């Protein structure tokens, strides 16, 4: 027993210090894209053709819809000019679907806090009911990571609960398959009002890689569910998810 206690003391404090300090991101992390400000030479559209989800908008300037993006880098690999790249900016969550459109020369409108009345209700305690509505489970895994000792989501008063009746918010992952449509509707109905809806990952926002499959509804948005917070990625990094949740609760600016 004494050996175990001594070992635990040696281990020290393992939870990262976010938001006071940003933990180191992996070298391969892909965040907010940096887009070419000028039209591409010769009318090149290699990135548009390479994108599997039609996330890149055609026009005089390249735009990129983070709600569809899988962060797969097929576009950057295809770009002969190397003018398209992903930065390490992890603050990607937004309050509105249209704010997920990244455009050159325009500031990305990262999520703001809840309105005062909702903030008074949820600001110090937010219970989440996670619904895996299809998809590959990658997004749920990164939500689950927030419950580990390295992140300790509970220190912010945010907890995952088992029953929608105890929840303040429904956190949706996956493209909302037709098989999960009724279960999701029942979960939303069982969650007391007022409630929040959080869409995590490209699937929950737009259908992600499944957007052309007829067995799904293109996410919460496609299913007609009003969403309060959009967290893009495939899957989003835990830091992107945590940053989005804390922005919603006015815990980071
Ligand atoms: S990284 Fe995003 S925009 Fe680029 S090809 Fe993949 S899905 Fe399309
Ligand atoms: S967004 Fe990507 S990681 Fe998340 S469920 Fe869909 S395919 Fe999986």
């Amino acid at each position: 027993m004494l050996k175990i206690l001594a070992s635990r003391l040696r281990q020290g404090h393992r939870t990262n210090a976010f938001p006071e300090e940003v933990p180191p991101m992996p070298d391969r992390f892909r965040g907010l894209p940096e887009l070419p400000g000028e039209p591409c030479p010769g009318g090149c559209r290699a990135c548009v053709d390479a994108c599997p989800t039609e996330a890149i908008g055609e026009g005089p300037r390249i735009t990129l819809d983070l709600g569809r993006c899988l962060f797969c880098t097929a576009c950057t690999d295809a770009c002969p000019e190397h003018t398209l790249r992903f930065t390490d900016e992890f603050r990607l969550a937004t309050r509105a679907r249209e704010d997920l459109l990244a455009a050159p020369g325009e500031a990305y409108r990262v999520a703001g806090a809840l309105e005062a009345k909702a903030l008074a209700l949820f600001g110090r305690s937010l219970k989440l009911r996670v619904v895996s509505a299809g998809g590959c489970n990658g997004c749920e895994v990164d939500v689950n990571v927030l419950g580990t000792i390295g992140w300790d989501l509970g220190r912010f008063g945010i907890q995952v609960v088992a029953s929608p009746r105890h929840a303040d918010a429904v956190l949706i992952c996956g493209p909302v398959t037709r098989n999960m449509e009724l279960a999701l509707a029942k979960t939303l109905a069982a969650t007391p009002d007022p409630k929040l809806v959080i869409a995590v990952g490209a699937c929950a926002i737009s259908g992600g890689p499944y957007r052309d499959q007829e067995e799904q509804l293109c996410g919460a948005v496609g299913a007609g569910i009003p969403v309060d917070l959009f967290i893009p990625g495939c899957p989003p990094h835990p830091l992107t998810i945590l940053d989005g949740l804390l922005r919603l609760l006015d815990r980071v600016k």
Side-chain angles (χ1 to χ4, degrees):
M1 186 64 183
L2 285 176
K3 276 186 186 169
I4 292 171
L5 286 173
S7 163
R8 292 303 300 268
L9 282 174
R10 271 197 303 276
Q11 283 180 22
H13 184 72
R14 294 292 177 94
T15 307
N16 72 55
F18 188 79
E20 282 74 30
E21 285 171 32
V22 176
M25 300 297 278
D27 292 341
R28 294 181 61 221
F29 176 75
R30 301 151 196 155
L32 190 67
E34 201 171 77
L35 304 167
E38 301 295 324
C40 296
C44 176
R45 42 171 288 147
C47 60
V48 178
D49 292 338
C51 179
T53 57
E54 298 177 25
I56 302 180
E58 290 186 77
R61 297 177 311 160
I62 295 283
T63 57
L64 200 156
D65 180 358
L66 293 189
R68 289 187 179 184
C69 184
L70 308 179
F71 295 81
C72 66
T73 70
C75 52
T76 52
D77 294 346
C79 177
E81 302 288 326
H82 306 294
T83 52
L84 177 60
R85 73 178 193 97
F86 287 91
T87 70
D88 60 3
E89 178 54 69
F90 63 87
R91 301 168 187 91
L92 303 176
T94 67
R95 295 294 308 278
R97 175 68 181 89
E98 59 270 21
D99 289 348
L100 290 167
L101 192 74
E106 289 180 22
Y108 186 73
R109 286 188 292 273
V110 74
L114 287 167
E115 299 65 34
K117 200 171 166 190
L119 203 54
L121 272 176
F122 305 127
R124 294 169 63 86
S125 170
L126 183 72
K127 308 296 180 201
L128 306 174
R129 175 70 172 99
V130 178
V131 177
S132 176
C136 77
N137 288 94
C139 288
E140 288 93 282
V141 169
D142 271 356
V143 172
N144 290 346
V145 164
L146 292 176
T148 62
I149 196 167
W151 296 87
D152 189 15
L153 186 63
R155 73 193 146 123
F156 302 107
I158 308 172
Q159 287 171 320
V160 174
V161 293
S163 167
R165 298 192 193 285
H166 301 155
D168 305 304
V170 178
L171 188 153
I172 303 172
C173 305
V176 188
T177 56
R178 294 193 186 279
N179 281 347
M180 280 301 294
E181 186 180 3
L182 180 61
L184 178 58
K186 285 186 173 181
T187 302
L188 286 164
T191 307
D193 289 323
K195 56 177 159 271
L196 304 173
V197 175
I198 300 166
V200 173
C203 283
I205 298 171
S206 67
Y210 308 104
R211 59 193 292 272
D212 295 326
Q213 307 296 318
E214 60 183 33
E215 296 86 359
Q216 56 81 47
L217 302 175
C218 289
V221 177
I225 299 165
V227 174
D228 298 282
L229 183 70
F230 297 85
I231 305 180
C234 183
H237 191 280
L239 190 54
T240 300
I241 303 172
L242 179 58
D243 177 72
L245 293 172
L246 294 185
R247 281 178 188 283
L248 194 69
L249 302 182
D250 205 21
R251 306 284 282 271
V252 291
K253 301 287 183 194

